[in-house]
Amino acid sequence: MNVLLLGSGGREHAFAWKISQSPLLSQLYIAPGNPGTAQLGINLPFGFSDFTAIVEAIRTHQIELVIVGPEEPLVKGVRDFIESQEDLQHVGIVGPGALGAQLEGSKDFSKNFMHAHGVPTAASKTFTKDNGEEGLAYLATQSLPIVLKADGLAAGKGVIIAQSHAEAEKAFKEMIYDAKFGEASSKVVVEQFLRGIELSVFVLTDGENYVVLPEAKDYKRIGENDEGLNTGGMGAVSPVPFATERFMELVKQKVIEPTIQGLKSDNIPYQGFIFIGLMNHEGEPYVIEYNARMGDPETEVVLPRIESDFLSLLLAAAQGKLNNESLQISNQYAVTTMVVAGGYPEDYRKGDIMTGMEKIEEALVFHAGTREQDGQIVTSGGRVMALTGTSNTLERAIQKSQKAAQTIQFEGKNFRRDIGLDVLRYKS
């Protein structure tokens, strides 16, 4: 079959890499893709939120399955737009409609959904400009640290963990009154801080049935030992040793199944991924957030561990036939180190020439923020490249990933040298 993959980052390169291994694939198209996906399929010259161009491409290239990588087109309703075309009713789509995507698109929506369906989560209240003074008074009553979240999409940066009441008040005012995250912070969710160990659980559902993909742990802070500013993710590890069989059974019972049943009872059709950001709080799972797509860079450690035909799984999810599929997962460890541009996550450099990719032999190279210019690969995003090492031991997977990150060269390069080390200590 012909497949259209929407997106341009490391997640989409990993998707393209995995999908291209399937005997079901005739031709893979990626919009807009990147220099990495160009080696695996045909990049198309339009953005992933250009809905008119997307439906034209579906017609022109006789696409049978569309896979939506990023959250933005999902929240904007790309599924609904494709489904509104009478001649495209036969096309399978992996990714929810705009209503289902509100699980990610609105923190307030997702909190209300969790409370309504008994999904364990931190206590919270939502505020806008209209009740901002009430919000400031509420902050003063909260124990530290205090979590503030922009309600809408903020490119993974709309979460502030304030260590003092003064910091919380300043962040709250910047978000609501100064529109620090634009429209995304016109509503702010103030949330209880949960202590524990974070992990990410990924579910693929056809709206009725589901499979649980390999779990992962990602590293959000720019600096070693989880210090510094929040980023879109500086690396990831899978499997996670504290995701024990008992804990994952609790996740299924208390989180996954109530979520799937909640979507059904609320009449929200959902065929696609649910990324569940969890806190293991004293042995119990609490949901920090939902995402309506796969994570990045978690995808770059999750997909290398899937041994089944991934395209077959995606097609089954789109067709409501996941109950016919089985999922084989490798016991190997996968570790991704993200190489980022100088200055990231604030103003960062672009256009620096990259070298050394051809010297990497023991790791998978996933392009995240790159473009081709005059026959050379140059940086074009904050997170530039994801380097994934796999091995039977966590130590070796870390070594392979880190060595690859050291091998890539460009001006201003930065990466964390401690990815996976905390998991290694936990294991031992």
Side-chain angles (χ1 to χ4, degrees):
M1 75 182 96
N2 292 340
V3 174
L4 174 61
L5 171 62
L6 301 179
S8 62
R11 168 184 47 222
E12 287 75 37
H13 188 181
F15 267 103
W17 168 77
K18 197 69 181 172
I19 290 165
S20 65
Q21 298 165 19
S22 172
L24 297 175
L25 182 69
S26 302
Q27 183 64 59
L28 175 62
Y29 297 89
I30 312 96
N34 62 38
T37 62
Q39 306 302 310
L40 300 163
I42 298 170
N43 286 351
L44 299 176
F46 55 85
F48 49 66
S49 289
D50 186 342
F51 293 179
T52 304
I54 288 167
V55 296
E56 284 309 311
I58 293 170
R59 294 183 179 114
T60 301
H61 302 295
Q62 299 176 312
I63 301 295
E64 292 165 71
L65 183 67
V66 178
I67 300 152
V68 188
E71 62 276 17
E72 184 186 310
L74 291 169
V75 171
K76 288 181 174 176
V78 66
R79 181 189 189 99
D80 312 80
F81 191 81
I82 296 167
E83 288 182 335
S84 72
Q85 314 295 312
E86 282 186 25
D87 60 325
L88 301 182
Q89 298 302 303
H90 64 288
V91 176
I93 306 166
V94 178
L99 182 56
Q102 284 298 291
L103 279 183
E104 175 168 7
S106 168
K107 299 286 190 296
D108 186 46
F109 176 94
S110 68
K111 277 290 186 181
N112 289 334
F113 176 89
M114 286 183 247
H115 293 317
H117 300 291
V119 176
T121 187
S124 68
K125 276 197 172 184
T126 302
F127 300 96
T128 65
K129 258 186 192 174
D130 295 339
N131 63 347
E133 290 304 313
E134 188 186 321
L136 289 168
Y138 180 75
L139 285 176
T141 68
Q142 298 304 292
S143 56
L144 297 169
I146 302 169
V147 182
L148 297 95
K149 293 180 175 179
D151 176 60
L153 298 180
K157 295 172 194 164
V159 178
I160 309 285
I161 300 173
Q163 302 297 330
S164 69
H165 286 95
E167 186 189 346
E169 188 175 311
K170 180 172 180 281
F172 184 87
K173 287 176 177 175
E174 285 174 350
M175 290 166 91
I176 284 198
Y177 298 117
D178 304 337
K180 181 175 182 176
F181 300 107
E183 184 61 29
S185 59
S186 60
K187 276 187 190 174
V188 171
V189 177
V190 178
E191 194 173 274
Q192 165 200 13
F193 180 81
L194 292 174
R195 297 188 186 278
I197 306 170
E198 277 189 57
L199 72 151
S200 304
V201 172
F202 304 94
V203 176
L204 177 63
T205 182
D206 60 10
E208 188 78 40
N209 312 285
Y210 67 89
V211 292
V212 182
L213 305 178
E215 80 286 351
K217 177 191 190 307
D218 84 326
Y219 295 78
K220 279 275 183 266
R221 301 283 186 160
I222 187 68
E224 266 116 59
N225 302 313
D226 287 327
E227 292 178 356
L229 295 171
N230 253 347
T231 73
M234 293 295 290
V237 178
S238 180
V240 181
F242 39 82
T244 61
E245 201 172 311
R246 178 193 167 276
F247 183 75
M248 292 306 291
E249 190 54 43
L250 288 175
V251 171
K252 282 184 188 179
Q253 289 173 15
K254 296 190 174 187
V255 176
I256 297 172
E257 283 168 10
T259 298
I260 304 287
Q261 290 304 317
L263 289 166
K264 282 172 65 179
S265 67
D266 288 354
N267 295 313
I268 301 174
Y270 203 109
Q271 287 86 37
F273 295 101
I274 307 174
F275 159 167
I276 305 166
L278 286 171
M279 184 69 78
N280 179 339
H281 177 68
E282 297 175 357
E284 290 288 324
Y286 284 79
V287 177
I288 302 167
E289 64 175 358
Y290 290 117
N291 291 160
R293 38 76 196 180
M294 285 294 284
D296 191 351
E298 295 98 329
T299 301
E300 291 93 311
V301 291
V302 170
L303 295 197
R305 295 192 57 224
I306 294 176
E307 294 178 335
S308 318
D309 184 329
F310 190 54
L311 182 53
S312 180
L313 279 170
L314 296 173
L315 184 63
Q319 293 178 339
K321 296 178 180 175
L322 260 183
N323 55 320
N324 299 331
E325 294 288 316
S326 63
L327 177 65
Q328 273 80 46
I329 296 171
S330 160
N331 290 323
Q332 284 211 318
Y333 289 90
V335 175
T336 289
T337 302
M338 188 66 78
V339 174
V340 305
Y344 178 80
E346 298 188 296
D347 288 342
Y348 54 81
R349 299 170 58 103
K350 288 185 183 179
D352 288 305
I353 295 169
M354 303 181 67
T355 59
M357 281 86 77
E358 72 289 346
K359 295 177 184 171
I360 296 171
E361 295 174 349
E362 292 191 301
L364 298 163
V365 177
F366 296 118
H367 290 245
T370 69
R371 62 185 170 86
E372 193 172 334
Q373 181 179 295
D374 302 327
Q376 292 180 304
I377 303 297
V378 302
T379 64
S380 71
R383 295 187 301 158
V384 175
M385 208 163 256
L387 294 316
T388 301
T390 60
S391 178
N392 292 327
T393 70
L394 178 55
E395 295 92 329
R396 187 75 186 108
I398 292 170
Q399 287 166 7
K400 287 180 175 181
S401 176
Q402 286 283 308
K403 183 182 175 186
Q406 289 160 8
T407 303
I408 300 266
Q409 297 298 324
F410 60 89
E411 190 72 28
K413 176 185 82 167
N414 185 27
F415 66 95
R416 276 182 60 168
R417 288 160 177 79
D418 65 342
I419 303 299
L421 295 184
D422 58 334
V423 178
L424 196 57
R425 285 193 295 270
Y426 185 95
K427 243 181 108 246
S428 57

